[in-house]
Amino acid sequence: MSKLNDLLENLSSDANLKAKYLENPELVMEEAGLNDKEKAAMRSGDEKSLTDLTGDKKAYGKYIVNPD
């Protein structure tokens, strides 16, 4: 699994990480070891970009665009 997949999976299951990401997404992405292309996809929230990078058609649903 890629670092991006790992981060998305962790964001969907770890409330503390999600809170940290919402407070400082750049730091969390850096700590996760994402490359520039992956960071750009996360920032944009673009479904196609995330799917292309992860190979996971459900990746977009794991991404936190509008937190509850």
Side-chain angles (χ1 to χ4, degrees):
M1 196 179 287
S2 75
K3 291 178 183 181
L4 178 57
N5 287 80
D6 289 342
L7 178 58
L8 291 168
E9 201 58 46
N10 290 336
L11 285 171
S12 69
S13 62
D14 182 334
N16 291 327
L17 182 63
K18 179 179 177 178
K20 184 177 177 181
Y21 177 81
L22 292 172
E23 184 176 315
N24 191 342
E26 295 300 320
L27 176 64
V28 173
M29 289 188 289
E30 189 66 33
E31 289 175 344
L34 300 190
N35 64 39
D36 290 339
K37 194 178 237 182
E38 292 167 329
K39 289 177 189 176
M42 288 290 287
R43 284 185 208 106
S44 74
D46 179 64
E47 184 173 4
K48 183 176 179 346
S49 295
L50 287 166
T51 300
D52 289 349
L53 288 169
T54 63
D56 181 354
K57 292 183 188 278
K58 296 180 182 178
Y60 185 73
K62 296 174 190 171
Y63 176 60
I64 304 164
V65 176
N66 295 311
D68 303 26

